[in-house]
Amino acid sequence: MSGFDSNPFADPVDVNPFQDPSVTQLTNSSSDGIEGFNPFTENSKLTNPAQTTIPAQIAPSQPAVLQPSVEPSPQATASAAQVNLLRQQEELERKAAELDRREREIQNKSSGSTKENNWPPLPRIFPVKPCFYQDFAEDIPPDFQRTCKMMYYLWMFHSVTLFLNLLACLAIFTVSSSNGVDFGLAILWFVLFTPCAFVCWYRPVYKAFRSDSSFNFFFFFFVFFIQTAVYIIQAVGIPYWGNSGWILALSVIGTNNAVAIIMMVVAGFFTACAVMAIILLKMVHSKYRRTGASFQKAQEEFSQGVFTNRTFQSAASTAASTAAQNAFQQGN
């Protein structure tokens, strides 16, 4: 019959759940494996050959390495200190030489000794005497002598270029009579700009380096900037301006090639003058920043120079006395 024929009120049969064959088999195998495991042996395996252990792969770790602090060796420290001492010694020697030079200048001025002008170097039998005194080794500090000499060479190159410009304009005048204006202006530029360049921008930079004058530095920068612009205009060569520049030289190529070559050479000279002027302007400016000059010092030097000028003092006293007399006459 079916399962419903059993007596539900009968005593239950004692059933041990742990007597199940599947459970007993599993527990026996587990206990055998635990008993055969020895954790202190290298190749410990369970007694059950069916079970295998997969060793965990551990990534190799590298120990943290601290970068040792690199300390300079005693020799490197000593050499650096020696270089620093040599630099300081050179600076002190330069300042000492500058102080000695200024002291000699003060002594010469106090003793009343005047230096004889030596430029331009003219023969003694010549009726015109030199107008300026120039000595780079005595007047200019060693740090500024090279720059000052380069400015002097630029002025000489400037004078030669203006003379060649005169010859080039004469050559084009022989080819075309309409360019007589260029020849006349070229004569004027040579006669006018040669001495004016010497007085207006070379002598100021010479005196600025000689006496560390802020006023002369600023005057030089103002005039020489205009001179650089003039060089660029002369190199361009606008017709009928008296300059043998590129435009005027190229316009003569079809007419007379020989004259065109001469004018192109002069145009190259003007271009070289412009390039050298820009380079020297930057060089003088870098030297100026090292001297400690300033616009305030330039104002003070200008005011002191004006008030200590004898011509200005005499003119001021004459004007004051005239004004006082006029006021007294009007009062009476």
Side-chain angles (χ1 to χ4, degrees):
M1 298 224 20
S2 64
F4 292 100
D5 295 339
S6 63
N7 186 5
F9 300 100
D11 294 333
V13 181
D14 294 333
V15 180
N16 188 359
F18 297 100
Q19 296 299 324
D20 193 332
S22 61
V23 176
T24 56
Q25 182 181 1
L26 181 62
T27 56
N28 291 331
S29 62
S30 299
S31 61
D32 294 339
I34 294 173
E35 291 176 356
F37 176 74
N38 186 1
F40 299 101
T41 60
E42 295 181 357
N43 298 323
S44 61
K45 297 181 180 178
L46 297 177
T47 57
N48 189 3
Q51 296 179 353
T52 58
T53 58
I54 301 174
Q57 295 181 357
I58 301 175
S61 61
Q62 297 180 354
V65 179
L66 296 177
Q67 296 293 335
S69 59
V70 180
E71 296 182 356
S73 62
Q75 295 179 354
T77 306
S79 61
Q82 185 177 4
V83 170
N84 191 15
L85 289 175
L86 291 175
R87 187 184 301 109
Q88 293 180 357
Q89 184 178 0
E90 291 177 357
E91 184 69 17
L92 291 175
E93 290 177 355
R94 187 181 65 83
K95 291 182 178 179
E98 179 68 15
L99 291 175
D100 292 339
R101 184 181 64 82
R102 293 187 178 183
E103 185 177 357
R104 288 196 302 268
E105 289 182 356
I106 294 173
Q107 291 177 357
N108 292 332
K109 291 180 180 179
S110 61
S111 62
S113 60
T114 58
K115 299 177 181 179
E116 184 179 357
N117 295 332
N118 58 358
W119 197 95
L122 301 174
R124 294 186 178 276
I125 60 174
F126 204 74
V128 180
K129 300 300 179 181
C131 304
F132 304 98
Y133 178 80
Q134 178 173 289
D135 190 351
F136 295 105
E138 183 178 355
D139 289 344
I140 309 301
D143 292 344
F144 306 140
Q145 287 182 7
R146 179 172 177 270
T147 305
C148 193
K149 288 181 179 179
M150 291 179 68
M151 293 298 302
Y152 179 65
Y153 298 150
L154 176 62
W155 174 80
M156 296 176 66
F157 190 77
H158 160 90
S159 304
V160 172
T161 303
L162 290 179
F163 180 73
L164 294 178
N165 178 64
L166 189 153
L167 297 179
C169 290
L170 175 62
I172 194 176
F173 177 58
T174 58
V175 175
S176 175
S177 60
S178 61
N179 293 105
V181 177
D182 291 320
F183 177 61
L185 290 176
I187 297 174
L188 178 63
W189 301 153
F190 175 71
V191 174
L192 182 64
F193 285 166
T194 300
C196 286
F198 185 87
V199 175
C200 294
W201 55 261
Y202 169 68
R203 287 300 296 180
V205 74
Y206 182 90
K207 292 188 289 185
F209 284 136
R210 181 185 62 187
S211 58
D212 194 12
S213 173
S214 299
F215 174 75
N216 285 308
F217 269 119
F218 277 93
F219 186 80
F220 162 77
F221 287 135
F222 175 74
V223 177
F224 197 67
F225 181 80
I226 298 174
Q227 178 66 76
T228 306
V230 171
Y231 281 146
I232 296 173
I233 294 173
Q234 289 174 331
V236 171
I238 301 174
Y240 307 110
W241 280 32
N243 301 314
S244 178
W246 292 106
I247 295 177
L248 190 60
L250 295 175
S251 65
V252 189
I253 290 179
T255 306
N256 193 317
N257 293 332
V259 175
I261 292 173
I262 295 173
M263 298 185 69
M264 289 175 68
V265 171
V266 177
F269 274 56
F270 278 127
T271 305
C273 285
V275 173
M276 288 189 294
I278 294 172
I279 295 173
L280 287 174
L281 184 63
K282 295 180 66 177
M283 291 178 62
V284 174
H285 185 263
S286 64
K287 299 291 184 181
Y288 153 77
R289 296 183 63 181
R290 291 172 51 187
T291 57
S294 63
F295 185 71
Q296 183 178 1
K297 291 182 180 179
Q299 290 179 332
E300 293 176 357
E301 292 176 4
F302 178 74
S303 61
Q304 291 177 0
V306 169
F307 288 122
T308 56
N309 192 350
R310 294 181 179 179
T311 304
F312 177 80
Q313 291 177 353
S314 61
S317 61
T318 303
S321 61
T322 304
Q325 291 177 0
N326 293 333
F328 181 75
Q329 292 176 0
Q330 291 178 359
N332 294 333

